[in-house]
Amino acid sequence: MEKQINVGMLGFGTVGSGVATMIRENEKQLSQKLGAAVKIKKIAVRNIEKNRDADINGSELTTDINDVIQDDSIQVIVEVMGGIEEAHQAIEKALKASKAVITANKDLMALHGHSLLKLAEEHQADLYYEASVAGGIPIIRTLEDGLASDRISTIMGIVNGTTNYILTKMKEEGWSYEHALKEAQALGFAESDPTSDVEGLDAARKMAILATLAFSMEVYLDDVEVTGMTNITAEDMALAEQFGYSVKMLGFAEKDEDGVDVAVEPVFLRSSHPLAAVRNEYNAVYVYGDAVGETMFYGPGAGSMPTATSVVSDVIAACRNILLGVAGARHIDYVNDRQIKKEDQQHAQFFHRLLVKDKIGVFSSLTDIYGKYEASLSSIIQRPGEAEGEAEVILITHPVSRKNHHKIIEELNGSDVVKSIISQYRVEGGDR
Amino acid sequence: MEKQINVGMLGFGTVGSGVATMIRENEKQLSQKLGAAVKIKKIAVRNIEKNRDADINGSELTTDINDVIQDDSIQVIVEVMGGIEEAHQAIEKALKASKAVITANKDLMALHGHSLLKLAEEHQADLYYEASVAGGIPIIRTLEDGLASDRISTIMGIVNGTTNYILTKMKEEGWSYEHALKEAQALGFAESDPTSDVEGLDAARKMAILATLAFSMEVYLDDVEVTGMTNITAEDMALAEQFGYSVKMLGFAEKDEDGVDVAVEPVFLRSSHPLAAVRNEYNAVYVYGDAVGETMFYGPGAGSMPTATSVVSDVIAACRNILLGVAGARHIDYVNDRQIKKEDQQHAQFFHRLLVKDKIGVFSSLTDIYGKYEASLSSIIQRPGEAEGEAEVILITHPVSRKNHHKIIEELNGSDVVKSIISQYRVEGGDR
């Protein structure tokens, strides 16, 4: 008789039902690949009545998570219920029972990934989480296997589809931020409360996960410097284009001899950069390795079927390990000690747009401030302001520390020649 | 004492020395990841004198390939010597001795991949070949693992850096084909005899390998329909831009219920397509899966260190399998029976630029020809020709079979209203 591996699912929302559909539709292919059948035996749902009509193909429905986790015949647990506490407890129990766990839960992995991966190793279980970052893009395996031999120094990512969709529509269709957000909500990309997307928190979670993996170092959500995108204006986008940039909401994870620097923020990105061509709700992760150089991995960042693709690929990997008797064999020990850069060690270029008094000596007052904090300027342009006696000054700095950048902003705000700081952006891809 | 895995290398050219450098420089990281040291014990070279000064870090040099393959202490063979016959024999011997083999040899894999993979399975050995397609891009693992759960219907690839570099420079710098080719040769992208690149043979080899893997079907080099790029002109590129396309040299591998269709040819690619933004010598592979949708994997297609990255990632995977006792455990049986589409089953859109007689009735003569072979037209534009009594007609067809397309070209050539077919291209991304 053919071997069979039983899978238990926690949650049966859009991703969960996508997973079930894929496993059923590819039944033959899966069993041919693995030499064993894969069957979803039990599914834990909140409401059995609601799911009774769903296409569950012979799986048993239960409202009790433990009913799934404690079933000895189930070797693989797929967690697609979301949320933190309940999911955390469930995954801990499953790992302690040496079951393989597949999760799509980025919130959980960003907060408890380190301890869960340790727990998995202790109990010789696999914990896979490909779907937690950039939905359908196999970026976790790429960092773990494909680029395993290389030393990665930079990751830049468009890892939030909502913000990229909004920025694309603002740029290409001339829509306002509000209009683009509403459209994203109507299309189901953005939540009714978009805070976590537009304030950069969702992207920060993913960047913490990617940084941990790429640099083999414990990186936490709190280490990520986050700036939201709600201040981006159509005017800034037009200005960016004039200078040869595109405005993007980007995640950064960088490592050098001083340590690691992780940030999420609005950026003037050089238009020739591969990430600048990533449009609409698509995600992409750009990886720079010392040996391989520039690479980029592009695809859908969310959605039921793309996310299910990653979950089921993880299920296949976990099943293969079980069948070969090598589950939980991967060492997750971090190669590098935790070393997060302080503000005076983090360097970036910045774009400033200032409204200043149009009088003699303004330029030298300004350049004095930048000079005081060791920020040399790569561009400086003055143009007339809207009102009499005002001028607009646009500056792009060479790399400067974040600490000094904050001080510059502070002094500009206190300066009697500066009426206001209209906008500020990080600048990237300028010198490559 | 720490475990050690001995590696033997066949060949020590640019890629080979890159591999040796990476393994040496990442010694600690590798041993921490694997729980075993990786050491290059022997290197087979053509000329020991020539390599004596190279940084071989204690490896033993030999001119006898068998001296490496038959060394019982060597468990992993890295083939970076290139060529077909000698490499083929060497790999066969190594696999028969149940050693893991890593190869960067696309020519060999395109010709003998099927039989070598079978041989590997018979002898419980791993045969990895990530570096054989698109140098530093981990596309083989992505198809095998990351998208393992999905059904892939289309692969489109910029898998030859030389041709993409030439086309980029023709478009962006206005260089002639000859000038761009010379520059590519000076920079080391193009060989002194560029035939295999510009005639599409190099890309065809890679597409045969990718199609085999993506569709889990035996696909051979001879199945690939190949058209070279030497007829592309600056004028056509400008025309493409006017219509919203970029001219690219693309590989295609497509599968539907009728079978598989693999081609390499010059294409008018819709400028919003992710592949259209791939510039210079970079490679990218676009993969469309039923569930995941659009994905793309971008990076360097060649070069010593990028290619070495893929080779060493394969070495790590092979070593891990050896240490876990699961070498050669992957089933490579093809899921699908071989089914290659005939010319009347292959469909594509085409762009034609014709020089015609400028007289009444020309349009209806032309549309008669297209109509006769079931090609409806999506665009048709007439503009004055250079000489008196001539006109230029530009047509873009809706999808038409290759068989009918050939017949149309034949009839156009025989028609008394058509003076010449100035150019013809496949058109892609028009309707998405």
Side-chain angles (χ1 to χ4, degrees):
Chain A
M1 214 184 85
E2 201 192 15
K3 278 187 212 167
Q4 178 172 314
I5 293 184
N6 291 319
V7 174
M9 286 182 62
L10 311 179
F12 200 67
T14 52
V15 173
S17 58
V19 169
T21 304
M22 280 193 84
I23 289 182
R24 191 187 60 244
E25 285 188 354
N26 297 307
E27 207 181 328
K28 270 195 186 164
Q29 201 181 327
L30 280 177
S31 97
Q32 196 163 347
K33 251 185 193 157
L34 287 169
V38 177
K39 188 179 170 353
I40 299 177
K41 194 180 173 203
K42 286 184 184 168
I43 305 173
V45 295
R46 240 171 259 291
N47 183 342
I48 288 193
E49 296 307 318
K50 197 181 136 199
N51 286 283
R52 188 166 281 167
D53 294 333
D55 183 7
I56 54 164
N57 196 37
S59 307
E60 197 179 312
L61 292 180
T62 172
T63 53
D64 182 4
I65 288 176
N66 289 319
D67 195 20
V68 178
I69 298 173
Q70 288 163 3
D71 184 328
D72 289 337
S73 73
I74 288 177
Q75 292 173 281
V76 178
I77 300 289
V78 172
E79 186 273 301
V80 283
M81 57 197 277
I84 306 277
E85 279 318 312
E86 214 181 351
H88 190 193
Q89 284 172 25
I91 291 179
E92 282 194 337
K93 274 189 208 163
L95 292 174
K96 283 178 184 163
S98 295
K99 293 178 198 291
V101 173
I102 320 297
T103 178
N105 195 328
K106 63 179 171 298
D107 303 18
L108 182 63
M109 285 307 292
L111 280 177
H112 303 294
H114 304 296
S115 59
L116 286 175
L117 285 164
K118 261 181 211 144
L119 191 68
E121 197 177 3
E122 280 164 32
H123 293 276
Q124 295 234 316
D126 285 320
L127 171 57
Y128 289 140
Y129 52 101
E130 183 66 77
S132 69
V133 179
I137 310 174
I139 185 65
I140 304 285
R141 331 179 118 59
T142 296
L143 293 174
E144 276 193 329
D145 300 328
L147 302 174
S149 57
D150 205 358
R151 268 180 297 210
I152 292 162
S153 57
T154 302
I155 290 186
M156 285 164 59
I158 293 173
V159 289
N160 180 277
T162 304
T163 49
N164 201 55
Y165 175 86
I166 291 173
L167 291 173
T168 305
K169 291 303 179 188
M170 286 174 73
K171 180 182 176 186
E172 295 184 3
E173 314 285 344
W175 292 359
S176 68
Y177 169 79
E178 290 75 18
H179 179 178
L181 173 60
K182 252 187 207 153
E183 202 63 30
Q185 286 166 329
L187 289 167
F189 303 141
E191 318 251 345
S192 54
D193 175 3
T195 312
S196 151
D197 290 331
V198 300
E199 293 299 347
L201 300 173
D202 175 81
R205 291 187 188 110
K206 294 162 182 168
M207 292 311 297
I209 295 171
L210 291 179
T212 295
L213 206 54
F215 306 139
S216 192
M217 182 190 293
E218 249 175 86
V219 178
Y220 291 96
L221 185 52
D222 281 348
D223 299 326
V224 187
E225 173 101 21
V226 187
T227 311
M229 64 160 284
T230 50
N231 292 329
I232 298 173
T233 63
E235 237 180 320
D236 290 342
M237 297 186 87
L239 253 180
E241 222 173 323
Q242 278 177 41
F243 282 81
Y245 295 102
S246 297
V247 178
K248 290 285 183 190
M249 184 71 175
L250 287 189
F252 292 87
E254 295 166 292
K255 181 174 181 291
D256 61 20
E257 60 277 9
D258 291 332
V260 163
D261 175 8
V262 191
V264 171
E265 58 199 320
V267 178
F268 271 31
L269 179 69
R270 176 67 64 197
S271 295
S272 58
H273 193 283
L275 285 171
V278 177
R279 298 167 64 240
N280 295 324
E281 73 277 17
Y282 278 89
N283 282 19
V285 181
Y286 168 95
V287 181
Y288 190 93
D290 286 356
V292 76
E294 296 192 283
T295 60
M296 187 178 82
F297 308 92
Y298 167 97
S304 157
M305 293 314 286
T307 309
T309 305
S310 287
V311 170
V312 178
S313 294
D314 278 352
V315 169
I316 294 172
C319 289
R320 184 177 284 141
N321 288 347
I322 289 168
L323 292 163
L324 292 174
V326 295
R330 188 179 284 267
H331 300 289
I332 63 101
D333 291 349
Y334 299 119
V335 171
N336 297 301
D337 291 333
R338 186 172 149 76
Q339 192 184 1
I340 307 296
K341 283 196 199 177
K342 301 217 166 55
E343 284 215 317
D344 57 347
Q345 297 171 306
Q346 303 170 3
H347 290 80
Q349 285 184 270
F350 291 93
F351 167 97
H352 293 164
R353 190 172 155 215
L354 313 175
L355 192 66
V356 300
K357 291 180 184 159
D358 189 12
K359 61 174 193 184
I360 290 166
V362 166
F363 255 65
S364 80
S365 301
L366 287 179
T367 49
D368 279 357
I369 295 176
Y370 285 88
K372 185 170 164 193
Y373 296 106
E374 292 160 358
S376 61
L377 298 170
S378 98
S379 304
I380 177 161
I381 288 169
Q382 180 170 344
R383 56 185 205 178
E386 286 190 4
E388 187 81 19
E390 285 180 1
E392 214 180 284
V393 176
I394 289 159
L395 305 108
I396 298 178
T397 71
H398 284 299
V400 55
S401 78
R402 262 189 209 280
K403 189 179 174 184
N404 282 347
H405 180 246
H406 285 157
K407 288 197 172 158
I408 289 168
I409 293 292
E410 217 172 279
E411 287 223 12
L412 290 172
N413 274 323
S415 157
D416 58 1
V417 302
V418 177
K419 302 190 98 171
S420 70
I421 299 172
I422 305 173
S423 57
Q424 49 170 303
Y425 292 86
R426 177 167 176 168
V427 175
E428 197 63 39
D431 301 333
R432 267 205 189 115
Chain B
M1 214 184 84
E2 200 191 17
K3 278 185 211 168
Q4 179 171 313
I5 294 185
N6 290 320
V7 173
M9 287 182 62
L10 311 180
F12 200 67
T14 53
V15 173
S17 58
V19 169
T21 304
M22 279 193 84
I23 290 182
R24 190 186 61 244
E25 285 187 355
N26 297 306
E27 205 180 331
K28 270 195 186 165
Q29 200 180 327
L30 280 177
S31 97
Q32 196 162 346
K33 251 184 193 157
L34 288 168
V38 177
K39 189 178 172 348
I40 299 176
K41 196 179 170 201
K42 285 184 184 168
I43 304 173
V45 296
R46 239 172 260 291
N47 184 342
I48 289 194
E49 297 306 317
K50 196 181 134 200
N51 286 282
R52 188 166 279 168
D53 294 333
D55 184 6
I56 54 163
N57 196 37
S59 307
E60 197 179 311
L61 291 181
T62 170
T63 53
D64 182 3
I65 288 176
N66 289 318
D67 194 20
V68 178
I69 298 173
Q70 287 163 3
D71 184 328
D72 289 336
S73 74
I74 289 177
Q75 293 172 281
V76 178
I77 300 289
V78 172
E79 184 272 303
V80 283
M81 58 197 275
I84 306 276
E85 279 318 311
E86 212 180 353
H88 189 194
Q89 283 172 25
I91 291 179
E92 281 193 337
K93 274 189 208 164
L95 292 174
K96 282 179 184 162
S98 294
K99 294 179 198 288
V101 173
I102 321 295
T103 177
N105 195 327
K106 64 178 171 297
D107 303 18
L108 182 63
M109 285 306 292
L111 280 178
H112 303 294
H114 304 295
S115 59
L116 287 174
L117 285 164
K118 260 181 212 145
L119 190 68
E121 197 177 2
E122 281 165 31
H123 293 275
Q124 295 234 314
D126 286 320
L127 171 59
Y128 289 140
Y129 53 101
E130 184 65 78
S132 69
V133 179
I137 308 174
I139 185 64
I140 304 285
R141 324 179 124 60
T142 296
L143 294 174
E144 275 193 331
D145 299 329
L147 301 175
S149 58
D150 204 358
R151 268 179 298 209
I152 291 162
S153 56
T154 302
I155 291 186
M156 283 163 61
I158 293 172
V159 289
N160 180 277
T162 304
T163 50
N164 202 54
Y165 175 85
I166 291 174
L167 291 173
T168 305
K169 291 304 180 191
M170 285 174 73
K171 180 184 173 182
E172 295 183 3
E173 314 285 344
W175 292 358
S176 68
Y177 167 81
E178 291 75 19
H179 178 179
L181 173 61
K182 251 187 206 152
E183 201 64 30
Q185 286 167 327
L187 290 166
F189 303 140
E191 318 251 346
S192 56
D193 175 3
T195 312
S196 151
D197 291 330
V198 300
E199 293 299 347
L201 299 173
D202 175 80
R205 291 187 188 111
K206 294 163 182 168
M207 292 311 296
I209 295 171
L210 291 178
T212 295
L213 207 55
F215 306 138
S216 192
M217 183 190 291
E218 251 175 83
V219 177
Y220 292 96
L221 185 52
D222 280 347
D223 299 325
V224 188
E225 173 99 23
V226 188
T227 311
M229 63 160 284
T230 49
N231 291 329
I232 299 173
T233 62
E235 236 180 322
D236 291 340
M237 297 187 87
L239 253 180
E241 221 172 325
Q242 277 177 41
F243 281 81
Y245 296 102
S246 297
V247 178
K248 289 285 183 188
M249 184 71 174
L250 289 188
F252 292 87
E254 295 166 293
K255 180 175 180 293
D256 60 20
E257 59 278 8
D258 291 333
V260 162
D261 176 9
V262 192
V264 170
E265 57 199 320
V267 177
F268 271 30
L269 179 69
R270 177 68 64 196
S271 294
S272 57
H273 193 284
L275 284 171
V278 177
R279 299 166 62 240
N280 294 325
E281 74 277 18
Y282 277 89
N283 282 20
V285 182
Y286 168 95
V287 181
Y288 190 93
D290 286 355
V292 76
E294 296 192 282
T295 60
M296 188 178 83
F297 307 92
Y298 167 98
S304 156
M305 292 316 283
T307 308
T309 305
S310 287
V311 170
V312 178
S313 294
D314 278 350
V315 169
I316 294 173
C319 289
R320 184 177 285 139
N321 289 347
I322 290 168
L323 292 163
L324 292 173
V326 295
R330 188 180 284 267
H331 301 289
I332 64 100
D333 290 350
Y334 299 118
V335 171
N336 298 300
D337 291 334
R338 185 173 150 76
Q339 193 184 359
I340 306 296
K341 283 197 201 176
K342 302 219 164 57
E343 283 215 318
D344 57 348
Q345 298 169 306
Q346 303 171 2
H347 290 81
Q349 285 185 270
F350 292 93
F351 167 98
H352 293 165
R353 190 173 155 215
L354 314 174
L355 193 64
V356 301
K357 291 180 185 160
D358 188 11
K359 62 174 191 183
I360 291 166
V362 166
F363 255 64
S364 78
S365 302
L366 287 179
T367 49
D368 279 355
I369 295 175
Y370 287 87
K372 184 171 164 192
Y373 296 106
E374 294 159 356
S376 61
L377 298 170
S378 97
S379 305
I380 175 160
I381 287 168
Q382 180 172 344
R383 55 184 206 180
E386 287 189 3
E388 188 83 18
E390 285 181 0
E392 214 179 285
V393 175
I394 289 160
L395 306 108
I396 298 177
T397 72
H398 284 299
V400 55
S401 77
R402 262 191 209 278
K403 189 178 173 185
N404 281 346
H405 180 246
H406 286 156
K407 288 199 173 155
I408 289 168
I409 293 291
E410 215 172 279
E411 286 223 12
L412 289 172
N413 274 324
S415 158
D416 58 2
V417 302
V418 177
K419 302 189 98 172
S420 70
I421 298 172
I422 305 173
S423 57
Q424 50 170 303
Y425 292 86
R426 179 169 176 167
V427 174
E428 197 63 40
D431 300 331
R432 272 211 183 109

